[in-house]
Amino acid sequence: ATRQLDNLVDINELPIQEAKRADGENRAVGLGLMGFADSIEQLGYSYEDNEAADFMDQVFEFISFMSIDESTELAKERGTYKNFKGSGWSKGELPMDTIERLEKDRGRELTVKKGSVRILPALDWESLRNKVKQGMRNATLLAIAPNANIGLVAGTSPGIDPRFTQMFSRNKISGKYLEVNPNMIISLKKENLWEKTREKILENHGDLEGLSEIPDHLKKIYKTSFSVSPYAYVEVAARAQKWVDQAISRNIYLDIRDINEIMK
């Protein structure tokens, strides 16, 4: 994926010279991910579970490591990007090293888990750090987009967001669709509940919470976006951001209108 994104820098036809120059000098790309909620549902985790945050941590450590490593290999083959000299990469700085700088800027310790939570085999970041100093093909590598449209096309959940709801009507330029979470259907069929509850779920706008027939462990896994704790949204994003050298674009849903609660 990193190699193909680097190819796109050369293939893209940009409309203005400033964009062409920035693209050519930095070769910045933004590899992301979608289907996070889809994955944790299949693993039996709620978005609020510590296991879900740890899963995000492990997934993005792996993506980050492999993408950075590939950019060093591309630099050997095709040369470094023009502005590599003097960059953080040229000093051997990696995305997770910026946590310490952020703590100094904020004047307090960050509560996010530091370092790797990956189960073995461990990734050799120190060897990669030495490779990075020798050259990088791309100024930036990772970014997470919302993926609302392509997530729909791919048949998975968008970006790293939880499900908006488990069953809802989506209006697009191309038409109107009834979107139903297939993982929820499988889970309910295992409990012999799908046929009994599907009409009620639709009437309830895809929210399982008020349906007494559905067991609590499934209600926990298949929460709607507004019922997921906002602190879980922040934790999942923080775990990914530790390994991401650019930004994460995502939605956060609050069922409150109190400005003090929103500020918290």
Side-chain angles (χ1 to χ4, degrees):
T2 301
R3 186 170 284 263
Q4 296 305 327
L5 287 171
D6 185 67
N7 290 342
L8 279 176
V9 176
D10 298 318
I11 294 167
N12 272 347
E13 293 182 10
L14 298 170
I16 56 172
Q17 285 303 314
E18 291 87 348
K20 284 181 184 177
R21 185 171 67 250
D23 228 24
E25 291 181 1
N26 295 307
R27 306 195 66 83
V29 299
L31 177 62
L33 166 149
M34 57 180 142
F36 175 69
D38 197 344
S39 300
I40 61 172
E41 287 165 0
Q42 293 182 53
L43 291 167
Y45 302 148
S46 157
Y47 203 92
E48 297 171 345
D49 287 341
N50 288 330
E51 290 89 347
D54 284 348
F55 178 66
M56 172 57 84
D57 214 325
Q58 292 174 46
V59 164
F60 256 93
E61 180 180 1
F62 180 81
I63 293 172
S64 183
F65 185 96
M66 294 301 169
S67 187
I68 294 167
D69 186 60
E70 187 64 15
S71 190
T72 67
E73 294 299 321
L74 285 167
K76 291 176 192 174
E77 291 175 30
R78 303 173 179 177
T80 63
Y81 69 95
K82 186 177 178 181
N83 296 324
F84 172 74
K85 191 175 180 182
S87 68
W89 297 119
S90 68
K91 300 165 190 170
E93 190 174 84
L94 298 169
M96 68 280 198
D97 298 331
T98 58
I99 289 178
E100 190 177 342
R101 187 194 309 157
L102 185 59
E103 284 183 324
K104 286 177 183 174
D105 289 347
R106 290 189 181 175
R108 60 182 172 84
E109 186 180 357
L110 299 186
T111 58
V112 69
K113 279 189 181 179
K114 311 287 200 310
S116 175
V117 299
R118 215 180 125 73
I119 51 174
L120 296 175
L123 297 170
D124 188 354
W125 283 98
E126 286 312 306
S127 292
L128 183 60
R129 191 187 299 280
N130 291 328
K131 285 179 76 174
V132 162
K133 289 178 186 175
Q134 306 308 310
M136 287 284 286
R137 180 65 172 166
N138 314 94
T140 59
L141 291 162
L142 302 180
I144 308 176
N147 300 141
N149 289 316
I150 60 173
L152 182 64
V153 171
T156 191
S157 57
I160 63 170
D161 283 353
R163 303 272 182 184
F164 179 70
T165 185
Q166 306 307 321
M167 191 187 293
F168 69 101
S169 179
R170 185 192 287 271
N171 283 310
K172 307 295 291 181
I173 293 170
S174 52
K176 194 173 183 180
Y177 306 90
L178 182 65
E179 193 166 320
V180 186
N181 181 355
N183 296 329
M184 177 196 68
I185 296 173
I186 292 166
S187 296
L188 289 173
K189 280 184 175 179
K190 283 179 182 175
E191 304 273 349
N192 294 315
L193 288 171
W194 172 239
E195 297 298 331
K196 298 175 190 174
T197 59
R198 64 182 182 181
E199 292 300 324
K200 289 183 181 178
I201 294 169
L202 183 57
E203 287 168 14
N204 213 34
H205 307 291
D207 189 350
L208 309 189
E209 193 58 43
L211 305 182
S212 57
E213 301 94 327
I214 296 176
D216 288 342
H217 73 278
L218 291 184
K219 287 179 183 176
K220 187 181 177 189
I221 293 169
Y222 298 108
K223 279 191 171 187
T224 63
S225 55
F226 281 99
S227 59
V228 172
S229 165
Y231 296 99
Y233 282 76
V234 175
E235 182 66 24
V236 166
R239 297 296 197 92
Q241 189 69 69
K242 194 164 62 168
W243 310 104
V244 171
D245 56 10
Q246 286 190 82
I248 298 171
S249 176
R250 53 134 6 142
N251 299 299
I252 188 162
Y253 299 87
L254 298 169
D255 61 358
I256 51 167
R257 294 293 177 267
D258 182 272
I259 192 67
N260 292 323
E261 288 298 312
I262 292 168
M263 291 308 294
K264 282 181 191 174

